[in-house]
Structures are given as C-alpha cells and as structure tokens.
Amino acid sequence: MRPIPAPPLLPALLTGLLAGLLAACASTPKAPPAAATPPAAPAVAVPPVKVGLALGGGAAKGFAHIGVIKMLEANGIRPAVVAGTSAGSVVGALYAGGMDAYALQEKAVALDEASIRDVSLFGGGLVKGQKLQDYVNREVGGRPIERLAKPFAAVATRLEDGERTVFVRGNTGQAVRASSAIPGVFEAVPIDKSHYVDGGVVSPVPVDAARALGADLVIAVDISSKANGKASPDSMLGNLGQSLKIMGARLAAQELARADVVIRPAVNDIGPADFAQRQRAILEGERAAQAALPQIRAKIAALQAQRLAQARAQAEARAAQQREAERQARCARQSGWLDRLRRDPDCRGG
C-alpha cells in the first residue's frame, strides 16, 4: 500500500490562516451602525420689519397724521421711514426730525397760522411759502433731509413737465414748501432750474416714495377730500371743486392699492383752512389708527414669520451643502483596501 504524501507546508499554513480569519469573523458579529441623529435646525435671526409711513395731503386735515403717529407709538409701532405729500410732508419732516407724537401735538396746539402764512398779492399765488420753509427748518434745527433722525422723503410736482419729484436730500424746509405749494394758493417754488408745486397733483398719498426709502410694510394715511355726491351743475366753482376731488381720488386709489394698510381718518368735512378743527383732526387720527391696529399687527407678524421661514430654509440649505462637502471629503480619504472593508455606510457606492 502506497503511503499518502503530506501536504506542502506553505499551502497548509495559508489554509489555516484563512480558516482562522473566517472563524473570527463568524464569532464576532459586526455592530450595526448607530442611527444617524438628525441635525438640529440652524438658529437664525432676522431684523425686525421696517415700517414706513406714507402721509397724504389735505391741508388743515393733516393734523390727523399726528393722531395716527400718536396711536402707533403708544402701541409699540415706531415707523422707521416717512414720506409725505403736502400737509403730510410738514408733519413727516418734523417727525423725521426727531419729534415724538406728543411733541408734535404740542407744536400743533401752539401753532399760529401767521407763523407759516405770508401773503404775496403780486406773486404767482396768494401765499409765498417762505414762512413755512423757515418754520420747518427752525423746527428741525436747520438740518438737511439726509441728516434727519429718520429717512424722509417729500413729494412734489415739477411744474414744467408734471414729473413726480421725490426730495430725499437738501434743504428740508424748501422741500416741504415745494411739496405744499397748492396751485393757485401758493407760489410755485423755484429749485435749481425748475419750479415745483404740490405733490398731491401726482401723488396724493406717497406710498411708492415710502417703499423706495426701504420700508418692508407701508402704512398709508389718506386724508384727501372725497367726492361727496353734492355736485352743483350750475356753479362753476362747484363743478371745478368736485372734478378735482374725483381726479384726486382716482389717482390716489392707484397708489393706495400698493400700500399694506390704509388708514382713513374721518376728516372729510374739515375745510382745508379750518385750523380751529386741529384737535378734532388729531382725535380722528387716533381713532382711525386704533381701529387699524389689529390689521397692522397681523401684517407685521405675517411678514416677520415669512422672512424667518425664508431665512431658516436658506440656512438649512447651506448646512446641507456643508454636510455633503464634508461627506465627500471623508469618503475620498478612504482609498485603501482595509478602508473599503470598513467603509462608512454613507460612502458605499460613493
């Protein structure tokens, strides 16, 4: 009987080593990968909503603007930017100059018409407007528009071509005078090589000007005269007045549609020169603003929530991009055969 030869030494050793490795793998189960913890939502912060005021024209009815500002401030709503037309530019300039609502009310109560009215019988209108310019400049400390406490815009109409002009720099009182130069009542105001009249001719309530100043949310205050249904077909002046009211209302409606909130104080029956009604106009402004507070708060909250959601979405997208970049860099480093055996599950197939 022929004896069976012994197996070669090296193949036997390799066979034993492989059997040992297989036994070790079988006896030591691989721990399952730990469940990935979802990343926490990135913390984000957004600046508060920037509220803008658009104060419309309306002569003596403009005292209502003071009541609106008073009620807004009393409820923690402090407009950051102000735009004004005509009477709105007067109140807006003083407010942008640093006066709070109570200081504005004190000025209104103490205001003497003679301090802002200078008759010019031989000029292009009945009132020259220089006194109004001087009054405003005195109250703002002689500062130009760009140095006021809040961004401010006064809207006027260029007489040569009817172009809407928004003054955001330069002589504050002069800009207010131009914005308030009611045709046929005030002289046109010469500035550089042009002449300017009341901004209400082209922008009765300056919503767009307030938006251009950077307002996120615009509160418009409309005190313009409304067509009252009492036309006088046999009266030339009555027809003219009613026609102007209709045109002004139609023009204002287009811009008011772009406001976020519109406040309309009940001052339609106050005459353009009825300064004796100033206290009532202020009170009507307060009442109208108080009625609008729920809508204003809701609009601010909705806008803030929308901006916060957008900021969070952007932050999460940036975080996801960063995590993906880190994963790709980590997987790129796993290039050896041992790394491939122990590869992170995130890198399989990557």
PDB file of all heavy atoms in Angstrom, residues 145-172:
ATOM      1  N   ILE A 145     -32.305 117.172   4.717  1.00  0.00           N
ATOM      2  CA  ILE A 145     -33.096 115.938   4.790  1.00  0.00           C
ATOM      3  C   ILE A 145     -32.236 114.728   5.142  1.00  0.00           C
ATOM      4  O   ILE A 145     -32.624 113.886   5.961  1.00  0.00           O
ATOM      5  CB  ILE A 145     -33.825 115.697   3.449  1.00  0.00           C
ATOM      6  CG1 ILE A 145     -34.841 116.800   3.196  1.00  0.00           C
ATOM      7  CG2 ILE A 145     -34.511 114.338   3.441  1.00  0.00           C
ATOM      8  CD1 ILE A 145     -35.526 116.724   1.840  1.00  0.00           C
ATOM      9  N   GLU A 146     -31.066 114.645   4.540  1.00  0.00           N
ATOM     10  CA  GLU A 146     -30.239 113.453   4.745  1.00  0.00           C
ATOM     11  C   GLU A 146     -29.661 113.349   6.152  1.00  0.00           C
ATOM     12  O   GLU A 146     -29.105 112.310   6.518  1.00  0.00           O
ATOM     13  CB  GLU A 146     -29.114 113.390   3.705  1.00  0.00           C
ATOM     14  CG  GLU A 146     -28.117 114.534   3.790  1.00  0.00           C
ATOM     15  CD  GLU A 146     -28.507 115.712   2.909  1.00  0.00           C
ATOM     16  OE1 GLU A 146     -29.708 115.854   2.595  1.00  0.00           O
ATOM     17  OE2 GLU A 146     -27.591 116.477   2.540  1.00  0.00           O
ATOM     18  N   ARG A 147     -29.801 114.391   6.958  1.00  0.00           N
ATOM     19  CA  ARG A 147     -29.273 114.345   8.321  1.00  0.00           C
ATOM     20  C   ARG A 147     -30.384 114.290   9.371  1.00  0.00           C
ATOM     21  O   ARG A 147     -30.127 114.423  10.561  1.00  0.00           O
ATOM     22  CB  ARG A 147     -28.383 115.563   8.569  1.00  0.00           C
ATOM     23  CG  ARG A 147     -27.059 115.525   7.804  1.00  0.00           C
ATOM     24  CD  ARG A 147     -26.203 116.728   8.131  1.00  0.00           C
ATOM     25  NE  ARG A 147     -25.976 116.862   9.555  1.00  0.00           N
ATOM     26  CZ  ARG A 147     -25.579 117.984  10.166  1.00  0.00           C
ATOM     27  NH1 ARG A 147     -25.382 119.082   9.438  1.00  0.00           N
ATOM     28  NH2 ARG A 147     -25.389 118.023  11.464  1.00  0.00           N
ATOM     29  N   LEU A 148     -31.604 114.081   8.956  1.00  0.00           N
ATOM     30  CA  LEU A 148     -32.696 113.936   9.906  1.00  0.00           C
ATOM     31  C   LEU A 148     -32.583 112.595  10.640  1.00  0.00           C
ATOM     32  O   LEU A 148     -31.849 111.693  10.224  1.00  0.00           O
ATOM     33  CB  LEU A 148     -34.041 114.045   9.195  1.00  0.00           C
ATOM     34  CG  LEU A 148     -34.331 115.386   8.501  1.00  0.00           C
ATOM     35  CD1 LEU A 148     -35.694 115.342   7.809  1.00  0.00           C
ATOM     36  CD2 LEU A 148     -34.262 116.545   9.482  1.00  0.00           C
ATOM     37  N   ALA A 149     -33.324 112.464  11.738  1.00  0.00           N
ATOM     38  CA  ALA A 149     -33.226 111.254  12.558  1.00  0.00           C
ATOM     39  C   ALA A 149     -33.761 110.021  11.849  1.00  0.00           C
ATOM     40  O   ALA A 149     -33.334 108.895  12.123  1.00  0.00           O
ATOM     41  CB  ALA A 149     -33.962 111.464  13.884  1.00  0.00           C
ATOM     42  N   LYS A 150     -34.731 110.199  10.958  1.00  0.00           N
ATOM     43  CA  LYS A 150     -35.289 109.087  10.187  1.00  0.00           C
ATOM     44  C   LYS A 150     -35.198 109.420   8.700  1.00  0.00           C
ATOM     45  O   LYS A 150     -35.258 110.599   8.333  1.00  0.00           O
ATOM     46  CB  LYS A 150     -36.773 108.867  10.528  1.00  0.00           C
ATOM     47  CG  LYS A 150     -37.097 108.504  11.965  1.00  0.00           C
ATOM     48  CD  LYS A 150     -38.613 108.405  12.132  1.00  0.00           C
ATOM     49  CE  LYS A 150     -39.006 108.183  13.590  1.00  0.00           C
ATOM     50  NZ  LYS A 150     -38.701 106.813  14.027  1.00  0.00           N
ATOM     51  N   PRO A 151     -35.049 108.417   7.851  1.00  0.00           N
ATOM     52  CA  PRO A 151     -35.129 108.669   6.398  1.00  0.00           C
ATOM     53  C   PRO A 151     -36.465 109.317   6.057  1.00  0.00           C
ATOM     54  O   PRO A 151     -37.519 108.861   6.499  1.00  0.00           O
ATOM     55  CB  PRO A 151     -34.988 107.277   5.788  1.00  0.00           C
ATOM     56  CG  PRO A 151     -34.239 106.491   6.815  1.00  0.00           C
ATOM     57  CD  PRO A 151     -34.704 107.002   8.138  1.00  0.00           C
ATOM     58  N   PHE A 152     -36.408 110.373   5.242  1.00  0.00           N
ATOM     59  CA  PHE A 152     -37.612 111.158   4.935  1.00  0.00           C
ATOM     60  C   PHE A 152     -37.615 111.527   3.463  1.00  0.00           C
ATOM     61  O   PHE A 152     -36.571 111.760   2.853  1.00  0.00           O
ATOM     62  CB  PHE A 152     -37.628 112.427   5.796  1.00  0.00           C
ATOM     63  CG  PHE A 152     -38.688 113.422   5.397  1.00  0.00           C
ATOM     64  CD1 PHE A 152     -40.032 113.131   5.546  1.00  0.00           C
ATOM     65  CD2 PHE A 152     -38.331 114.661   4.862  1.00  0.00           C
ATOM     66  CE1 PHE A 152     -41.003 114.045   5.173  1.00  0.00           C
ATOM     67  CE2 PHE A 152     -39.300 115.579   4.488  1.00  0.00           C
ATOM     68  CZ  PHE A 152     -40.641 115.263   4.642  1.00  0.00           C
ATOM     69  N   ALA A 153     -38.829 111.573   2.905  1.00  0.00           N
ATOM     70  CA  ALA A 153     -38.996 111.991   1.510  1.00  0.00           C
ATOM     71  C   ALA A 153     -40.184 112.933   1.428  1.00  0.00           C
ATOM     72  O   ALA A 153     -41.243 112.668   2.006  1.00  0.00           O
ATOM     73  CB  ALA A 153     -39.218 110.783   0.610  1.00  0.00           C
ATOM     74  N   ALA A 154     -39.999 114.041   0.722  1.00  0.00           N
ATOM     75  CA  ALA A 154     -41.084 114.981   0.440  1.00  0.00           C
ATOM     76  C   ALA A 154     -41.368 114.916  -1.054  1.00  0.00           C
ATOM     77  O   ALA A 154     -40.454 115.056  -1.872  1.00  0.00           O
ATOM     78  CB  ALA A 154     -40.691 116.396   0.852  1.00  0.00           C
ATOM     79  N   VAL A 155     -42.629 114.705  -1.406  1.00  0.00           N
ATOM     80  CA  VAL A 155     -43.001 114.528  -2.815  1.00  0.00           C
ATOM     81  C   VAL A 155     -43.593 115.825  -3.353  1.00  0.00           C
ATOM     82  O   VAL A 155     -44.494 116.410  -2.750  1.00  0.00           O
ATOM     83  CB  VAL A 155     -44.008 113.384  -2.978  1.00  0.00           C
ATOM     84  CG1 VAL A 155     -44.393 113.208  -4.446  1.00  0.00           C
ATOM     85  CG2 VAL A 155     -43.423 112.086  -2.431  1.00  0.00           C
ATOM     86  N   ALA A 156     -43.096 116.284  -4.498  1.00  0.00           N
ATOM     87  CA  ALA A 156     -43.594 117.489  -5.162  1.00  0.00           C
ATOM     88  C   ALA A 156     -43.803 117.182  -6.639  1.00  0.00           C
ATOM     89  O   ALA A 156     -43.458 116.100  -7.129  1.00  0.00           O
ATOM     90  CB  ALA A 156     -42.611 118.645  -4.982  1.00  0.00           C
ATOM     91  N   THR A 157     -44.369 118.167  -7.356  1.00  0.00           N
ATOM     92  CA  THR A 157     -44.627 118.024  -8.790  1.00  0.00           C
ATOM     93  C   THR A 157     -43.842 119.087  -9.545  1.00  0.00           C
ATOM     94  O   THR A 157     -43.956 120.283  -9.244  1.00  0.00           O
ATOM     95  CB  THR A 157     -46.124 118.205  -9.099  1.00  0.00           C
ATOM     96  OG1 THR A 157     -46.881 117.283  -8.312  1.00  0.00           O
ATOM     97  CG2 THR A 157     -46.408 117.963 -10.573  1.00  0.00           C
ATOM     98  N   ARG A 158     -43.030 118.657 -10.507  1.00  0.00           N
ATOM     99  CA  ARG A 158     -42.284 119.624 -11.313  1.00  0.00           C
ATOM    100  C   ARG A 158     -43.238 120.280 -12.302  1.00  0.00           C
ATOM    101  O   ARG A 158     -43.868 119.599 -13.117  1.00  0.00           O
ATOM    102  CB  ARG A 158     -41.129 118.931 -12.029  1.00  0.00           C
ATOM    103  CG  ARG A 158     -40.129 119.912 -12.645  1.00  0.00           C
ATOM    104  CD  ARG A 158     -38.816 119.231 -12.955  1.00  0.00           C
ATOM    105  NE  ARG A 158     -38.982 118.153 -13.916  1.00  0.00           N
ATOM    106  CZ  ARG A 158     -38.091 117.180 -14.107  1.00  0.00           C
ATOM    107  NH1 ARG A 158     -36.990 117.153 -13.368  1.00  0.00           N
ATOM    108  NH2 ARG A 158     -38.303 116.242 -15.009  1.00  0.00           N
ATOM    109  N   LEU A 159     -43.326 121.597 -12.213  1.00  0.00           N
ATOM    110  CA  LEU A 159     -44.340 122.322 -12.967  1.00  0.00           C
ATOM    111  C   LEU A 159     -44.084 122.289 -14.468  1.00  0.00           C
ATOM    112  O   LEU A 159     -45.023 122.273 -15.266  1.00  0.00           O
ATOM    113  CB  LEU A 159     -44.388 123.781 -12.473  1.00  0.00           C
ATOM    114  CG  LEU A 159     -45.560 124.632 -12.964  1.00  0.00           C
ATOM    115  CD1 LEU A 159     -46.893 124.014 -12.571  1.00  0.00           C
ATOM    116  CD2 LEU A 159     -45.450 126.051 -12.401  1.00  0.00           C
ATOM    117  N   GLU A 160     -42.842 122.242 -14.874  1.00  0.00           N
ATOM    118  CA  GLU A 160     -42.511 122.305 -16.298  1.00  0.00           C
ATOM    119  C   GLU A 160     -43.036 121.102 -17.080  1.00  0.00           C
ATOM    120  O   GLU A 160     -43.424 121.241 -18.251  1.00  0.00           O
ATOM    121  CB  GLU A 160     -40.990 122.423 -16.497  1.00  0.00           C
ATOM    122  CG  GLU A 160     -40.423 123.811 -16.240  1.00  0.00           C
ATOM    123  CD  GLU A 160     -40.326 124.155 -14.763  1.00  0.00           C
ATOM    124  OE1 GLU A 160     -40.525 123.247 -13.926  1.00  0.00           O
ATOM    125  OE2 GLU A 160     -40.043 125.323 -14.429  1.00  0.00           O
ATOM    126  N   ASP A 161     -43.037 119.926 -16.455  1.00  0.00           N
ATOM    127  CA  ASP A 161     -43.437 118.724 -17.204  1.00  0.00           C
ATOM    128  C   ASP A 161     -44.343 117.780 -16.418  1.00  0.00           C
ATOM    129  O   ASP A 161     -44.691 116.695 -16.894  1.00  0.00           O
ATOM    130  CB  ASP A 161     -42.201 117.961 -17.692  1.00  0.00           C
ATOM    131  CG  ASP A 161     -41.263 117.590 -16.553  1.00  0.00           C
ATOM    132  OD1 ASP A 161     -41.634 117.798 -15.375  1.00  0.00           O
ATOM    133  OD2 ASP A 161     -40.148 117.092 -16.837  1.00  0.00           O
ATOM    134  N   GLY A 162     -44.726 118.170 -15.195  1.00  0.00           N
ATOM    135  CA  GLY A 162     -45.594 117.322 -14.395  1.00  0.00           C
ATOM    136  C   GLY A 162     -44.918 116.111 -13.799  1.00  0.00           C
ATOM    137  O   GLY A 162     -45.592 115.195 -13.311  1.00  0.00           O
ATOM    138  N   GLU A 163     -43.601 116.083 -13.811  1.00  0.00           N
ATOM    139  CA  GLU A 163     -42.855 114.930 -13.297  1.00  0.00           C
ATOM    140  C   GLU A 163     -42.941 114.868 -11.775  1.00  0.00           C
ATOM    141  O   GLU A 163     -42.777 115.869 -11.083  1.00  0.00           O
ATOM    142  CB  GLU A 163     -41.394 115.027 -13.731  1.00  0.00           C
ATOM    143  CG  GLU A 163     -40.549 113.825 -13.374  1.00  0.00           C
ATOM    144  CD  GLU A 163     -40.865 112.604 -14.211  1.00  0.00           C
ATOM    145  OE1 GLU A 163     -41.452 112.759 -15.298  1.00  0.00           O
ATOM    146  OE2 GLU A 163     -40.526 111.492 -13.766  1.00  0.00           O
ATOM    147  N   ARG A 164     -43.206 113.678 -11.260  1.00  0.00           N
ATOM    148  CA  ARG A 164     -43.168 113.474  -9.808  1.00  0.00           C
ATOM    149  C   ARG A 164     -41.724 113.566  -9.336  1.00  0.00           C
ATOM    150  O   ARG A 164     -40.835 112.923  -9.889  1.00  0.00           O
ATOM    151  CB  ARG A 164     -43.733 112.094  -9.449  1.00  0.00           C
ATOM    152  CG  ARG A 164     -43.797 111.822  -7.952  1.00  0.00           C
ATOM    153  CD  ARG A 164     -44.255 110.403  -7.689  1.00  0.00           C
ATOM    154  NE  ARG A 164     -43.186 109.453  -7.965  1.00  0.00           N
ATOM    155  CZ  ARG A 164     -42.689 108.579  -7.079  1.00  0.00           C
ATOM    156  NH1 ARG A 164     -43.165 108.532  -5.863  1.00  0.00           N
ATOM    157  NH2 ARG A 164     -41.733 107.749  -7.418  1.00  0.00           N
ATOM    158  N   THR A 165     -41.488 114.388  -8.319  1.00  0.00           N
ATOM    159  CA  THR A 165     -40.139 114.582  -7.800  1.00  0.00           C
ATOM    160  C   THR A 165     -40.120 114.240  -6.315  1.00  0.00           C
ATOM    161  O   THR A 165     -40.954 114.730  -5.548  1.00  0.00           O
ATOM    162  CB  THR A 165     -39.676 116.037  -7.991  1.00  0.00           C
ATOM    163  OG1 THR A 165     -39.734 116.359  -9.391  1.00  0.00           O
ATOM    164  CG2 THR A 165     -38.252 116.232  -7.489  1.00  0.00           C
ATOM    165  N   VAL A 166     -39.196 113.386  -5.927  1.00  0.00           N
ATOM    166  CA  VAL A 166     -39.079 112.962  -4.539  1.00  0.00           C
ATOM    167  C   VAL A 166     -37.785 113.539  -3.968  1.00  0.00           C
ATOM    168  O   VAL A 166     -36.687 113.174  -4.393  1.00  0.00           O
ATOM    169  CB  VAL A 166     -39.071 111.424  -4.426  1.00  0.00           C
ATOM    170  CG1 VAL A 166     -38.986 111.003  -2.955  1.00  0.00           C
ATOM    171  CG2 VAL A 166     -40.329 110.837  -5.071  1.00  0.00           C
ATOM    172  N   PHE A 167     -37.935 114.443  -3.012  1.00  0.00           N
ATOM    173  CA  PHE A 167     -36.770 115.059  -2.379  1.00  0.00           C
ATOM    174  C   PHE A 167     -36.333 114.215  -1.187  1.00  0.00           C
ATOM    175  O   PHE A 167     -37.075 114.049  -0.225  1.00  0.00           O
ATOM    176  CB  PHE A 167     -37.103 116.476  -1.912  1.00  0.00           C
ATOM    177  CG  PHE A 167     -37.337 117.460  -3.032  1.00  0.00           C
ATOM    178  CD1 PHE A 167     -38.626 117.800  -3.413  1.00  0.00           C
ATOM    179  CD2 PHE A 167     -36.262 118.043  -3.697  1.00  0.00           C
ATOM    180  CE1 PHE A 167     -38.845 118.709  -4.440  1.00  0.00           C
ATOM    181  CE2 PHE A 167     -36.471 118.940  -4.724  1.00  0.00           C
ATOM    182  CZ  PHE A 167     -37.761 119.279  -5.100  1.00  0.00           C
ATOM    183  N   VAL A 168     -35.114 113.677  -1.259  1.00  0.00           N
ATOM    184  CA  VAL A 168     -34.550 112.891  -0.154  1.00  0.00           C
ATOM    185  C   VAL A 168     -33.227 113.476   0.326  1.00  0.00           C
ATOM    186  O   VAL A 168     -32.597 112.933   1.226  1.00  0.00           O
ATOM    187  CB  VAL A 168     -34.344 111.420  -0.559  1.00  0.00           C
ATOM    188  CG1 VAL A 168     -35.680 110.733  -0.804  1.00  0.00           C
ATOM    189  CG2 VAL A 168     -33.454 111.308  -1.791  1.00  0.00           C
ATOM    190  N   ARG A 169     -32.827 114.576  -0.264  1.00  0.00           N
ATOM    191  CA  ARG A 169     -31.611 115.287   0.127  1.00  0.00           C
ATOM    192  C   ARG A 169     -31.880 116.784  -0.002  1.00  0.00           C
ATOM    193  O   ARG A 169     -32.814 117.213  -0.673  1.00  0.00           O
ATOM    194  CB  ARG A 169     -30.409 114.911  -0.763  1.00  0.00           C
ATOM    195  CG  ARG A 169     -30.039 113.445  -0.742  1.00  0.00           C
ATOM    196  CD  ARG A 169     -28.811 113.179  -1.602  1.00  0.00           C
ATOM    197  NE  ARG A 169     -27.641 113.892  -1.095  1.00  0.00           N
ATOM    198  CZ  ARG A 169     -26.872 113.446  -0.115  1.00  0.00           C
ATOM    199  NH1 ARG A 169     -27.138 112.295   0.461  1.00  0.00           N
ATOM    200  NH2 ARG A 169     -25.832 114.149   0.287  1.00  0.00           N
ATOM    201  N   GLY A 170     -31.045 117.561   0.669  1.00  0.00           N
ATOM    202  CA  GLY A 170     -31.126 119.005   0.510  1.00  0.00           C
ATOM    203  C   GLY A 170     -31.929 119.693   1.596  1.00  0.00           C
ATOM    204  O   GLY A 170     -32.246 119.126   2.648  1.00  0.00           O
ATOM    205  N   ASN A 171     -32.256 120.956   1.338  1.00  0.00           N
ATOM    206  CA  ASN A 171     -32.934 121.834   2.280  1.00  0.00           C
ATOM    207  C   ASN A 171     -34.312 121.268   2.662  1.00  0.00           C
ATOM    208  O   ASN A 171     -35.208 121.166   1.827  1.00  0.00           O
ATOM    209  CB  ASN A 171     -33.082 123.214   1.630  1.00  0.00           C
ATOM    210  CG  ASN A 171     -33.591 124.261   2.588  1.00  0.00           C
ATOM    211  OD1 ASN A 171     -34.583 124.073   3.261  1.00  0.00           O
ATOM    212  ND2 ASN A 171     -32.907 125.393   2.639  1.00  0.00           N
ATOM    213  N   THR A 172     -34.453 120.906   3.933  1.00  0.00           N
ATOM    214  CA  THR A 172     -35.699 120.273   4.381  1.00  0.00           C
ATOM    215  C   THR A 172     -36.895 121.202   4.214  1.00  0.00           C
ATOM    216  O   THR A 172     -37.936 120.822   3.656  1.00  0.00           O
ATOM    217  CB  THR A 172     -35.577 119.841   5.852  1.00  0.00           C
ATOM    218  OG1 THR A 172     -34.450 118.967   6.002  1.00  0.00           O
ATOM    219  CG2 THR A 172     -36.839 119.117   6.311  1.00  0.00           C
TER     220      THR A 172
END
